[in-house]
Amino acid sequence: MTKLAWWFYTIPFISAFIHWLTIWMALKLLFHPRQPKKILGFTLQGVFPKKQRQIAESLGKIVGQELLSFGDIEQTITNPDNVRKILPLAEEHIDNFLRNKLKESMPMIAMFIGDKTISQLKAVFMQELEELFPVIMKNYVANLRNDLDLERIVVDKIAGFSNDRLEAMLNQFLTKEFRFVEVIGAALGFLIGLLQIMLTLLMK
């Protein structure tokens, strides 16, 4: 009876181990086996290797339609506040052109342009540029939309990853989460084992 009681009280530990092992194997089956294998008449392959193309297409749609759409890009780069941030650089180039490059290219005209005229010309150019930049950017994004398929790029990149690289990438982000799931599974198994002991004792 004593020997039986000793084994009886190991139930929580055995249950914890079984739960941990089950979850560990389930996590391993996410990536392994990488190639399809026949086992007892069934074809077994890791979830990610088997569904890599479908996963790539799903992520491509999310990135292309939700996370990084051309509409968002256009809205950002044509925002008046963002346009004003690049105007100082444009003003610097215009000032350099009027004061230096114009003299080199057209010395006769430059002779009649003083500081006051340069300031007036620069003010006119900057006003035009502030109105022109958003139009240029919109046209650029429109052409980019036709030439650049973000969704297809993401799909091809992810679908082209080797199984080793894909597993390494996912493990890099999810290692802590995987460990947490394993610990929770073991703890849950231990509690179930304790519950079994308590119920058994209560029924005696």
Side-chain angles (χ1 to χ4, degrees):
M1 184 67 181
T2 304
K3 186 176 181 181
L4 181 61
W6 181 83
W7 281 106
F8 179 74
Y9 288 108
T10 62
I11 289 177
F13 300 98
I14 296 174
S15 178
F17 175 75
I18 292 174
H19 279 74
W20 171 82
L21 183 62
T22 301
I23 292 176
W24 180 82
M25 291 179 63
L27 293 176
K28 285 298 180 182
L29 287 173
L30 292 175
F31 306 102
H32 302 275
R34 294 192 173 101
Q35 300 300 327
K37 291 186 177 180
K38 290 282 186 179
I39 300 177
L40 299 177
F42 295 95
T43 301
L44 187 64
Q45 186 179 12
V47 175
F48 283 110
K50 184 178 181 179
K51 300 289 186 179
Q52 185 170 348
R53 186 70 191 183
Q54 293 91 320
I55 293 172
E57 291 176 353
S58 297
L59 289 176
K61 288 181 180 179
I62 292 173
V63 173
Q65 299 177 9
E66 303 293 336
L67 298 182
L68 191 62
S69 68
F70 280 102
D72 294 333
I73 296 174
E74 178 181 328
Q75 186 176 3
T76 299
I77 65 177
T78 59
N79 184 287
D81 293 334
N82 291 329
V83 171
R84 293 189 191 98
K85 291 178 182 178
I86 63 175
L87 287 178
L89 179 61
E91 184 177 1
E92 182 180 337
H93 279 270
I94 291 174
D95 186 80
N96 180 60
F97 170 78
L98 293 174
R99 294 182 185 278
N100 302 308
K101 292 186 177 181
L102 184 61
K103 290 180 181 180
E104 297 173 2
S105 302
M106 307 177 70
M108 295 299 296
I109 294 179
M111 292 176 57
F112 300 98
I113 298 179
D115 288 341
K116 183 178 180 180
T117 304
I118 288 176
S119 297
Q120 291 174 340
L121 287 173
K122 189 164 60 173
V124 172
F125 288 157
M126 294 305 299
Q127 184 177 354
E128 287 297 316
L129 284 176
E130 189 171 357
E131 297 177 1
L132 184 60
F133 273 159
V135 177
I136 293 175
M137 292 302 174
K138 284 183 179 180
N139 289 333
Y140 176 75
V141 173
N143 293 330
L144 194 63
R145 189 194 301 267
N146 296 328
D147 298 335
L148 189 63
D149 189 343
L150 290 177
E151 181 178 333
R152 180 51 49 191
I153 290 174
V154 173
V155 170
D156 291 341
K157 286 287 185 181
I158 296 177
F161 284 161
S162 66
N163 291 327
D164 289 338
R165 186 179 180 188
L166 183 62
E167 181 178 358
M169 288 178 59
L170 291 174
N171 278 327
Q172 182 179 357
F173 296 109
L174 299 175
T175 296
K176 291 183 179 180
E177 286 72 14
F178 287 164
R179 294 289 179 268
F180 178 75
V181 171
E182 291 174 9
V183 171
I184 290 297
L188 182 60
F190 188 82
L191 291 175
I192 291 174
L194 286 178
L195 183 60
Q196 289 175 333
I197 290 177
M198 292 174 60
L199 291 175
T200 302
L201 293 176
L202 289 174
M203 293 176 63
K204 285 187 175 182

